[in-house]
Every structure is written in C-alpha cells, then in structure tokens.
Amino acid sequence: MSSLLVVAVLATACSGGAEKPPAKPGAAQAEAVAAPVKDGAAPGEVVGAYLKAINAHDRKAGQALTTGYFAELQKQVVRQDDIFKDARLAGIKIDAPVVERGYKSPDGHRYADAVNVPVSFDLQHAHLQSMPDGPTDWGYLLVRTAPGKPWRINDQGVG
C-alpha cells in the first residue's frame, strides 16, 4: 500500500470520517511539499511526491523528481498546459509499478531499469486545458541508471 494512501486513511480516521471539500483549483495551497524523496525511494513514492508537488503548485519540487529529458519536455508543454499552475488532483490512487522490459527512451538514453506506475485521480483545472477535468487514468514511466540509483520520471501518459 502506498504511503500516500496510508496518509489519506489516517487523516480520515483522525478526522472522524468527515471529509473537507477539495480546494478550488488555482486557489493558494497551504499544503507543503516535503523535501525531495530519498534516493532509495520506491517508484510509487516518487510518483506520490510528484503528484503532491502538482497540488502544491511547486514546479521546482516536481522537476527534482524527473530526468532532464522530461523536465525539458514539460517546458515545451507549459506553453499550452501548465499542470503546476492551476491543477488540483483529488482521490489519488497509485498502483503497483509494472516493469517495462526493453524500454527505449525517446531521447536515446539507455537506462538499466524502467517501470510504469499507473495512477488515477480526479483532475480539476481553474481554466479549461487540453486534458479534461474529471476522473483520469494516467501513468508515469520511471527510469534509473543502475540498481540502487534514484528513480526519476521520464515520461507520462496513458496506455
């Protein structure tokens, strides 16, 4: 079970089961992003920290969890959609990683290991973007240069 899910369960239990309504997209977020995850963090922990950075609108914390290729790709996407600017993710569920055998990075870099981490969440934007609001199934492809090295996000999408 991911640590993000454990935190959500504990928070609900401590609040007597009362749920707060989700914050409106674009509203200032009081949620703090923890320091980048430790190098030995599991892929699901890295994705959880990345999604937390999105909710906190903390691009710097999010980019610390990505490869240079993915960070550069995100700069190009920002011109159209800026997930760190006004998105809010609720109901986050992070599934177990699935090994991606024979993964070839779009930038030509070879990695020792690659996994796909499926996620689902309810996406809300302050302004309509190319990715529609509502329930979303998504995934992040994480890579590392050698066993024991940190996992980093190198791609995203569905399928």
Side-chain angles (χ1 to χ4, degrees), residues 6-32:
V6 171
V7 170
V9 169
L10 289 175
T12 302
C14 292
S15 67
E19 290 187 31
K20 294 180 183 178
K24 292 188 179 201
Q29 301 296 319
E31 182 178 2

Side-chain angles (χ1 to χ4, degrees), residues 10-89:
L10 289 175
T12 302
C14 292
S15 67
E19 290 187 31
K20 294 180 183 178
K24 292 188 179 201
Q29 301 296 319
E31 182 178 2
V33 172
V37 295
K38 294 183 181 180
D39 285 348
E45 292 175 290
V46 174
V47 170
Y50 185 78
L51 298 176
K52 188 174 180 181
I54 290 172
N55 275 341
H57 309 296
D58 189 342
R59 179 185 320 284
K60 186 176 179 181
Q63 285 181 332
L65 302 169
T66 69
T67 63
Y69 165 76
F70 189 76
E72 192 59 38
L73 187 63
Q74 290 301 93
K75 284 181 188 175
Q76 296 170 12
V77 173
V78 164
R79 293 181 193 125
Q80 299 169 4
D81 288 337
D82 188 354
I83 193 80
F84 287 100
K85 186 175 180 182
D86 73 349
R88 180 75 179 154
L89 311 176

